[in-house]
Amino acid sequence: MFGRRIPFNQVAFATLLGVVGGVYIYRPIFEPPRKPPIAPDQDLKPDPEELRAETTQKAQQDASATKD
């Protein structure tokens, strides 16, 4: 076209980039699908800090309700 040749390092880089991009795009085809858990709420447990925050909020609400 222009009478110039493309250097080997640029051809190798473009080839490598194409292969890596193709693997990234089609990777889900090669991986087995993940099974969803049977009971999704079963694995979720609240953090101890969240439990403490809930108990302190309830205690504050109970205390304010008894004052009224």
Side-chain angles (χ1 to χ4, degrees):
M1 190 158 120
F2 294 107
R4 290 189 257 167
R5 299 183 84 179
I6 300 172
F8 176 75
N9 59 353
Q10 290 182 356
V11 171
F13 179 72
T15 303
L16 180 67
L17 191 64
V19 169
V20 170
V23 169
Y24 176 76
I25 290 172
Y26 292 106
R27 182 175 28 171
I29 293 175
F30 301 118
E31 292 179 354
R34 295 181 181 162
K35 295 180 182 177
I38 296 170
D41 295 335
Q42 184 178 7
D43 294 336
L44 301 176
K45 295 180 181 177
D47 293 333
E49 292 179 8
E50 291 177 1
L51 288 174
R52 277 187 258 140
E54 288 178 5
T55 55
T56 54
Q57 287 176 355
K58 289 179 184 176
Q60 289 174 354
Q61 289 174 355
D62 293 341
S64 64
T66 56
K67 288 181 183 178
D68 292 334

